Amino acid sequence: MSTRSFFPRQVVDSSGNRWDWALLPLVLALLFALSYAGSQMATPYAVGEALPITLDPWMLPYYLLRTTLRMFLALVASLVFSCVFAAVAAKWRAAERVMVPLLDILQSIPILGFLSITVTFFIALFPGSLLGVECAAIFAIFTSQAWNMAFSLYQSLRTVPAELDEAARVFQLSGWQKFWRLGLPYAMPGLLWNMMMSMSGGWFFVVAAEAISVSNQNIKLPGVGSYIALAIEARNLSAVGWAIGGMMVGIALYDQLFFRPLIAWADKFRFEEGSAEAEPTSWVLNWWRRTDRTQRFGVAAVRVFERSLTLFRHRHDGTSIRARTSPPNPLLTRVGDAAIAGMVLFALWWLIGFVRGEVALAEVLHVFVLGFYTMLRVVVLIALAGLVWVPVGVWIGLNPRWSGRLQAMVQFLAAFPANLTFPVAVVLIVRWHLNPSIWLSPLMVLGTQWYLLFNVIAGASTIPTELRYASQNIGLTGLLKWKRYLLPAIFPSFVTGALTASGGSWNASIVAEYVTWGDTTLEAQGLGSYIAHMTAIGDFPRIALGIAVMCVFVMTMNHFVWRRLYLMAEDRMHF
């Protein structure tokens, strides 16, 4: 890993004042846009009141601003959640035993499930204000972003190279210092790629988050998602085209102004230094580095944060009795396990009682059959996506120049909402009398396949240089090269990508298995269409049943497939 500090103090040049003045209009314009959009989020609102939404293309910049602000607020919340989750789960095994299965459950709950539960709560939390609905939409987007980032950071912290972990112990770093000086810098490349994927995942579900249709309530917040939903209802292909163009502009802007500078800045945290020609660049970062007053402000803020690294330090030299790690008390472990089992049994008893009052046993069995249909689609589609995107991701990750060139394009493809493909899907299926249960299936993986690609790119880009040279020197080629070098090198990242892609596909089933275009509705047999239909009519016992069954399937796959692959990655794939 680079020997440069996690927060380097840069020498500023007093002659760079002209760059401060050049940067000032961009900063002021950004602050004005954010403050204006933020003020519009807290306007008065009464439940049942129709919010004005129009298909006028001139309104798209304003809608794009509102949507982007929601997505970045959700991204900040997701980043904080991921850091707390990964740090605690990676450090304490007792917490890991609870937190990782809990994350599996949260990942398996579809976005409509979260909306149906939380939208009433947030509206009641901010009565008479639009802020309640805005918080519900932001929380829904958060649920499409956070789990991917949390799994990525957790996996990185668990697979820190042994020599770096030993160095942290030699230098007597506390848990707080180790996270900021070692764990987060080591995980930074993969985390940034997953942040980009999370933003794109938010676009995939933005229609459901902004055009809220729960319990016979239809609330359309001003945004690109509501614009797309209105265009689909009106069967307006030109409006769909304008929405695609607006998304392309928005993704290009935040790629250039936010993600590309972060990627270029975080390149110093790679475990291995690459060639100077392959280093990612950013005109915004170069601009920032030429400023004087702006850099002084940034350095002052960083110094304030760095003081916390000295506050949370070890108070001993590592040789005292106090420094020894005490073994866990087996009695406390058993008590904790019993408490967890009791809470699980109580939750299961309550859920069964809630559902049995409205749902017959035959329907429960039918929902499990629907879950099997959806699981079959997920497994087949993830396998096909792996065959296609693993070689592509490895090639992009090993060629940093192409990685920078394709970054914005991959983000756009990953952000492309499945709803925008509904016109083509509906027209082709209806015209050729195709089976919706088969031909709607590709929509499930349309957005989630990119989780796999982004993680493979991140994994391939962090392969140690000496490992690349060793494979070249011994002449590894063809299938042997993949078996002995490339697949083991990217295996931890592949598992993270496949796990999040699998969970995302289950979530995407609520969009892909229940498709509408104007007054035409196509429905595939599956758990996603069941949940989508019950959410639309507000049948909460059946919503709970569908979510519970989806949790059972997702957690079963995670426990018997992905968790075992995680352990394999930790034990055998360190370099």
Side-chain angles (χ1 to χ4, degrees), residues 85 100 103-105 107-108 147-152 154-155 194 378 382 448 451-452 455 491-507 554-555 557-567:
F85 171 87
V100 173
L103 194 62
D104 290 339
I105 296 174
Q107 181 187 224
S108 63
W147 324 137
N148 171 52
M149 294 168 57
F151 271 121
S152 171
Y154 164 75
Q155 179 262 331
N194 278 280
V378 170
I382 294 300
T448 58
Y451 288 104
L452 189 61
N455 279 278
F491 188 71
S493 298
F494 169 80
V495 174
T496 299
L499 187 152
T500 50
S502 174
S505 295
W506 281 95
N507 268 302
V554 173
M555 291 187 64
M557 289 184 64
N558 288 349
H559 179 76
F560 289 103
V561 180
W562 306 120
R563 198 63 55 216
R564 295 173 185 269
L565 292 178
Y566 253 133
L567 295 176

Side-chain angles (χ1 to χ4, degrees), residues 44 120 193 253 282 295 300 351 374 418 438 502:
T120 304
W193 277 99
L253 283 175
S282 166
Q295 275 222 71
L351 180 63
T374 301
I438 297 176
S502 174

Side-chain angles (χ1 to χ4, degrees), residues 169-189:
R169 286 196 293 268
V170 169
F171 286 108
Q172 293 297 309
L173 296 184
S174 65
W176 178 261
Q177 291 172 325
K178 183 179 177 181
F179 177 78
W180 290 106
R181 293 294 188 188
L182 173 60
L184 189 59
Y186 176 77
M188 188 64 70

